[in-house]
Amino acid sequence: MRGVAFWFFATAAIYVAIGMVWGIVMSATMDHSLSPAHGHLNLIGWVTMGLFGLYYHNVPEAAETQLAKIHFLVATLGLVLIIPGIVMALRQAGDSLAKAGSALTLISMLIFVFIVFRNRGKPA
Ligand code: HEM
């Protein structure tokens, strides 16, 4: 695995390692108040971004485009904003960051939809 595929998958593995530590801390402290943020870190960071990595590994032609790099940057920025954004929203400290992160996360998925269709039929 290399290029965008590697970076999606490698960072996804880091996100889930952080998410698991977060889950263990929640269990140990019996404070589950931030569990939606933990859930989103694992499901967007690990599951969604890990799937992006596997897709780009299977469709190398899609991974070699400039748009794939932009996709990685938008998805990463979205995650980096949405997780603290959810924490802030849960703590009643404003929801602007969560909104910005949500918008970027959606844009990253729309970029991915476009990439999937543009590369249909390309060999694995
Ligand atoms: C060491 C691994 C993990 C630990 C110790 C852990 C721990 C926890 C704890 C304590 C909660 C709160 C439960 C509650 O309040 O009822 C939770 C919620 C959740 N976790 Fe994890 N977790 C782990 C890994 C994962 C992974 C790998 C995923 C997804 C891929 C995940 C997804 C979720 C989701 C979706 C929720 C519910 C979020 C919500 O309440 O909105 N967790 N987890």
Side-chain angles (χ1 to χ4, degrees), residues 16 19-21 23-24 26-27 32 35-36 38-39 42-43 46-47:
V16 77
M20 286 178 171
V21 171
I24 290 168
M26 284 197 302
S27 299
H32 297 184
S35 77
H38 152 90
N42 287 331
L43 291 172
W46 171 230
V47 181

Side-chain angles (χ1 to χ4, degrees), residues 3-105:
V4 168
F6 169 79
W7 285 109
F8 263 124
F9 208 73
T11 53
I14 292 168
Y15 298 141
V16 77
I18 296 168
M20 286 178 171
V21 171
W22 194 346
I24 290 168
V25 171
M26 284 197 302
S27 299
T29 58
M30 288 188 289
D31 178 0
H32 297 184
S33 60
L34 297 181
S35 77
H38 152 90
H40 281 78
L41 176 62
N42 287 331
L43 291 172
I44 300 174
W46 171 230
V47 181
T48 307
M49 292 178 71
L51 283 173
F52 291 155
L54 292 178
Y55 170 82
Y56 285 119
H57 180 67
N58 281 321
V59 188
E61 264 188 72
E64 278 150 24
T65 61
Q66 199 63 26
L67 190 58
K69 290 186 186 127
I70 292 168
H71 177 215
F72 176 76
L73 292 176
V74 174
T76 300
L77 188 59
L79 185 78
V80 166
L81 294 184
I82 199 173
I83 301 306
I86 294 171
V87 170
M88 285 177 66
L90 290 168
R91 290 183 170 157
Q92 318 280 323
D95 59 6
S96 307
L97 208 57
K99 283 178 180 163
S102 308
L104 286 171
T105 300

